């Protein structure tokens, strides 16, 4: 079942999707800018912090008091935002580190703290701030900011009496600080959650507002138009739409009212001459449908007849050989008695196949009927006499209503007898628990045909199967071949007759056959 969405839902969903897209893009841009600004702020703080430590290192070096420098660095390293502080001399040796195990170790020039100065072909004496910071994750997945600042050689460091740094050494070492960005990550998460909540509340508010305005300004006028069209389609041409606005919907309402008025006038004009025409068109349409159905069946029967004839002849010869040799083996006294039931089953199935092939040949054979004038009532009594003592007719009552003044029909009695036998047997199969078969003959007024109706009170035929019952090989029986009604249809047509069927599931089925009377048949034969 296809889901039908109202106009309000469609507008709300469309607007919400657009807003979600824009809000998502805005969230991405804001979060990116917020992170960028925060990182720049963290770099600025790190730069100020390194400048303080650098100045403290200068004072301590001038006083040759490294202990006070290291104590101050230890106190700074105890801050929650600082993960690591280290001082590296120009030879790459760690002079101080908040991680005591690193003190005294030599750091390779490819280390992140040294690479900004020891790049290939680097002739710069000073490193800008934005090149001395780096973002990375620690082994436990924490995101941190590393900031490295060079300790430059001051004039006092090379001329003072207590120092020995050469004037040619521009950089004495580096100060590397690692700051935790966990607080930044938490702030970004809180900022995103606040933005999502605000977005949700905004969408909810906009959805309610759009729903209210759409229902008031659009949905109500549209619903009035829909209700008006329903009234007009039901035949109420006096219905009118109240015009409540001066916008496009109001213009549409006026146009629909004008159209309804025009339809009312046209409807009155059509009713005047449609009454007589409708009946004639209906009769002609039914006649065309019957002719088309008959033509379609005739074409299928003709095509299948040619095909079936060739297949039946090809099957008949090997089938006869199988049946012959199986019968010979069955009569052989040397046959093992345990194999005899299987051999009898083979013979029975071969005979069943032979009977089907025989029916196929009868279906494909276009034999000319040997017409003669016979009494239709007498022919029906003869068929009833042949079948009424069969086991399948034991609980079936046969009611006959013959027209005593019915003239003789000009048909092939053998073919028509086979037609009636097929119809009676089918009727008995439709009533396995018993029922009534009714036979009615009559002569329509002013017609050259005799009419016979054969009805039953059986299970009936469904509407979809009713269109195919005359098709070859179509059957609803478990063991049927689907050729009985096809052969009967061909016999009736060969005798210049017509056959029709009406049925209702659970009520019964009635076959109607029209056969030419002697006068019309005699002229046709001549």
């Amino acid at each position: 079942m296809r889901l039908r969405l109202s106009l309000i839902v469609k507008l709300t969903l469309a607007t919400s999707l657009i807003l979600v897209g824009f809000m998502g893009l805005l969230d991405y841009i804001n979060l990116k800018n917020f992170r960028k600004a925060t990182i720049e702020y963290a770099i600025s703080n790190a730069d100020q912090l390194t400048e303080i430590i650098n100045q403290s290192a200068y004072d301590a070096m001038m006083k040759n008091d490294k202990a006070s420098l290291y104590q101050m660095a230890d106190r700074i390293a105890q801050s929650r935002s600082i993960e690591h502080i280290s001082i590296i001399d120009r030879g790459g040796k760690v002079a101080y580190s908040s991680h005591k195990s690193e003190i005294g170790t030599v750091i390779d020039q490819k280390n992140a703290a040294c690479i900004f100065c020891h790049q290939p072909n680097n002739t710069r004496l000073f490193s800008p701030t934005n090149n001395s910071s780096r973002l990375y994750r620690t082994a436990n997945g924490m995101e941190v900011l590393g900031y490295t600042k060079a300790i430059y050689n001051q004039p006092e460091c090379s001329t003072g009496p207590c120092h020995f740094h050469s004037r040619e050494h521009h950089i004495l070492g580096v100060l590397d600080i690692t700051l935790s960005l966990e607080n930044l990550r938490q702030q970004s998460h809180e900022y995103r959650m606040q933005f999502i909540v605000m977005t949700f509340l905004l969408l909810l508010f906009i959805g309610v507002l759009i729903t209210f305005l759409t229902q008031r300004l659009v949905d109500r006028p549209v619903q009035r138009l829909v209700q008006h069209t329903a009234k007009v389609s039901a035949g109420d041409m006096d219905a009118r739409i109240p015009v409540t606005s001066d916008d496009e919907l109001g213009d549409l309402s006026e146009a629909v009212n004008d159209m309804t008025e025009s339809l009312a006038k046209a409807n009155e004009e059509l009713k005047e001459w449609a009454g007589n025409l409708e009946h004639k068109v209906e009769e002609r349409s039914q006649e065309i449908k019957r002719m088309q159905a008959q033509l379609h069946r005739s074409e299928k029967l003709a095509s299948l007849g040619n095909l079936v004839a060739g297949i039946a002849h090809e099957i008949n010869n090997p089938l006869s050989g199988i049946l012959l040799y199986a019968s010979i083996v069955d009569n052989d006294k040397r046959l093992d008695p345990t194999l005899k039931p299987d051999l009898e089953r083979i013979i029975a199935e071969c005979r069943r196949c032979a009977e089907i092939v025989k029916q196929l040949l009868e279906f494909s054979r276009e034999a000319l009927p040997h017409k003669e004038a016979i009494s239709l009532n007498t022919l029906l009594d003869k068929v009833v006499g042949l079948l009424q003592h069969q086991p399948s007719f034991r609980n079936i009552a046969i009611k006959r209503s013959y027209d005593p003044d019915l003239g003789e029909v000009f048909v092939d009695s053998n073919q028509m007898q086979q037609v009636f036998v097929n119809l009676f047997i089918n009727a008995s199969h439709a009533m396995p628990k018993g029922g009534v078969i009714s036979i009615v003959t009559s002569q329509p007024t002013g017609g050259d045909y005799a009419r016979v109706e054969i009805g039953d009170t059986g299970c009936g035929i469904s509407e979809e199967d009713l269109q195919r019952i005359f098709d070859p090989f179509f059957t609803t029986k478990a063991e049927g071949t689907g050729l009985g009604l096809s052969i009967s249809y061909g016999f009736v047509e060969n005798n210049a007759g017509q056959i029709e069927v009406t049925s209702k599931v659970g009520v019964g089925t009635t076959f109607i056959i029209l056969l030419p009377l002697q006068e019309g048949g005699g002229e046709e034969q001549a």
Side-chain angles (χ1 to χ4, degrees):
M1 181 179 179
R2 186 178 179 183
L3 181 62
R4 183 178 183 269
L5 300 178
S6 64
L7 183 61
I8 297 177
V9 175
K10 291 180 180 179
L11 288 175
T12 304
L13 288 177
T15 307
S16 299
L17 290 176
I18 294 173
L19 287 175
V20 167
F22 278 109
M23 290 297 181
L25 179 61
L26 185 61
D27 177 38
Y28 172 77
I29 295 174
N30 286 343
L31 190 63
K32 186 176 180 180
N33 292 334
F34 176 78
R35 177 180 173 85
K36 180 179 179 181
T38 308
I39 291 176
E40 290 178 354
Y41 178 74
I43 292 175
S44 176
N45 288 341
D47 184 66
Q48 294 177 6
L49 185 61
T50 54
E51 184 64 28
I52 294 173
I53 297 176
N54 202 351
Q55 188 64 39
S56 299
Y58 172 78
D59 295 338
M61 290 172 65
M62 294 301 296
K63 297 177 182 180
N64 197 18
D65 187 8
K66 294 183 180 180
S68 62
L69 173 63
Y70 296 158
Q71 290 176 359
M72 181 198 65
D74 286 336
R75 286 195 298 270
I76 295 176
Q78 292 177 0
S79 175
R80 289 189 308 170
S81 61
I82 297 178
E83 290 291 323
H84 178 254
I85 298 178
S86 62
I87 300 176
I88 306 169
D89 63 16
R90 65 185 308 275
K93 183 178 180 180
V94 179
Y96 167 79
S97 175
S98 58
H99 298 164
K100 304 303 181 181
S101 60
E102 295 181 353
I103 298 176
T105 60
V106 178
I107 297 178
D108 186 60
Q109 292 182 357
K110 295 182 179 180
N111 187 275
C114 303
I115 192 65
F116 82 100
C117 285
H118 294 279
Q119 295 179 358
N121 301 324
N122 184 18
T123 59
R124 293 177 297 175
L125 299 179
F126 298 96
S127 176
T129 300
N130 57 357
N131 288 333
S132 59
S133 62
R134 62 195 182 276
L135 290 174
Y136 64 95
R137 290 187 178 274
T138 61
N140 57 2
M142 180 184 298
E143 187 178 17
V144 295
L145 169 68
Y147 189 84
T148 304
K149 190 175 184 67
I151 302 175
Y152 296 102
N153 189 6
Q154 302 292 336
E156 293 83 355
C157 294
S158 58
T159 59
C162 63
H163 296 296
F164 54 90
H165 296 294
S166 174
R167 185 176 299 176
E168 297 178 354
H169 295 162
H170 300 288
I171 297 178
L172 302 180
V174 294
L175 173 63
D176 186 65
I177 297 179
T178 303
L179 301 178
S180 173
L181 297 180
E182 185 64 23
N183 187 32
L184 171 63
R185 186 193 65 80
Q186 185 176 0
Q187 290 179 359
S188 299
H189 178 72
E190 293 176 355
Y191 176 79
R192 170 169 285 183
M193 292 304 298
Q194 292 175 0
F195 191 86
I196 292 175
V197 172
M198 290 298 296
T199 301
F200 176 78
L201 294 176
L202 180 61
L203 289 176
L204 182 61
F205 173 74
I206 293 176
V208 173
L209 184 61
I210 290 177
T211 301
F212 173 76
L213 294 177
T214 305
Q215 185 176 13
R216 185 175 184 84
L217 301 178
V218 179
D219 187 63
R220 288 183 182 177
V222 171
Q223 288 296 329
R224 285 197 291 266
L225 288 170
V226 172
Q227 294 172 3
H228 175 76
T229 55
K231 291 179 180 179
V232 172
S233 63
D236 185 6
M237 296 298 176
D238 296 329
R240 295 294 182 271
I241 303 175
V243 180
T244 57
S245 62
D246 296 333
D247 53 11
E248 289 81 358
L249 288 175
D251 296 338
L252 179 60
S253 299
E254 293 181 356
V256 171
N257 288 334
D258 295 339
M259 181 188 67
T260 305
E261 185 176 354
S262 300
L263 286 175
K265 294 179 180 178
N267 188 47
E268 292 297 330
E269 295 176 358
L270 289 173
K271 285 182 179 179
E272 294 180 359
W273 58 273
N276 296 330
L277 182 60
E278 181 180 358
H279 180 67
K280 293 181 180 180
V281 171
E282 182 66 24
E283 290 182 350
R284 187 59 178 171
S285 299
Q286 294 297 332
E287 184 178 355
I288 291 174
K289 289 181 180 179
R290 287 194 298 269
M291 293 173 63
Q292 288 177 342
Q294 292 176 358
L295 180 60
H296 183 62
R297 293 193 189 104
S298 299
E299 290 177 351
K300 288 198 294 185
L301 290 175
S303 301
L304 287 173
N306 295 329
L307 176 63
V308 165
I311 296 175
H313 282 294
E314 293 296 330
I315 295 176
N316 195 37
N317 292 332
L319 188 62
S320 300
I322 294 172
L323 184 60
L324 175 62
Y325 283 105
S327 300
I328 293 174
V329 174
D330 184 52
N331 294 326
D332 194 341
K333 295 181 179 180
R334 295 174 297 175
L335 179 66
D336 189 349
T338 59
L339 299 177
K340 192 173 183 64
D342 296 335
L343 197 59
E344 290 177 351
R345 178 66 179 272
I346 292 174
I347 294 173
E349 293 299 324
C350 286
R351 288 175 178 171
R352 182 171 177 268
C353 292
E355 182 64 25
I356 295 175
V357 171
K358 179 182 178 183
Q359 294 183 14
L360 289 172
L361 290 173
E362 291 178 355
F363 167 73
S364 63
R365 189 180 297 118
E366 296 182 357
L368 292 176
H370 301 287
K371 297 183 180 181
E372 58 181 345
I374 60 172
S375 172
L376 182 59
N377 296 340
T378 303
L379 180 61
L380 289 169
D381 285 338
K382 181 180 178 181
V383 175
V384 171
L386 292 174
L387 298 176
Q388 65 180 355
H389 298 297
Q390 297 292 329
S392 59
F393 287 82
R394 183 174 303 168
N395 298 323
I396 296 176
I398 300 177
K399 295 183 179 181
R400 287 170 273 197
S401 177
Y402 295 159
D403 182 0
D405 299 327
L406 183 63
E408 293 181 337
V409 292
F410 196 73
V411 293
D412 187 321
S413 60
N414 291 328
Q415 290 185 356
M416 295 312 304
Q417 180 176 332
Q418 185 172 346
V419 172
F420 293 140
V421 168
N422 285 336
L423 296 182
F424 288 147
I425 290 176
N426 287 343
S428 66
H429 291 168
M431 300 181 294
K433 296 182 180 180
V436 178
I437 296 178
S438 59
I439 308 172
V440 180
T441 61
S442 61
Q443 180 178 350
T445 304
D448 296 331
Y449 287 84
R451 176 187 178 98
V452 56
E453 298 181 10
I454 301 175
D456 62 63
T457 58
C459 58
I461 305 172
S462 65
E463 184 66 26
E464 57 182 17
D465 291 341
L466 197 62
Q467 308 297 326
R468 304 174 56 195
I469 59 172
F470 293 115
D471 293 347
F473 307 108
F474 174 77
T475 181
T476 57
K477 301 176 184 178
E479 299 180 355
T481 61
L483 292 173
L485 288 177
S486 299
I487 295 173
S488 300
Y489 184 87
F491 283 164
V492 172
E493 279 201 334
N494 288 342
N495 287 272
Q498 298 178 9
I499 181 171
E500 298 176 357
V501 60
T502 60
S503 182
K504 188 174 182 180
V505 177
V507 177
T509 304
T510 301
F511 283 88
I512 303 170
I513 300 176
L514 300 178
L515 297 174
L517 294 172
Q518 181 180 6
E519 293 80 8
E523 294 175 0
E524 182 180 351
Q525 183 71 7

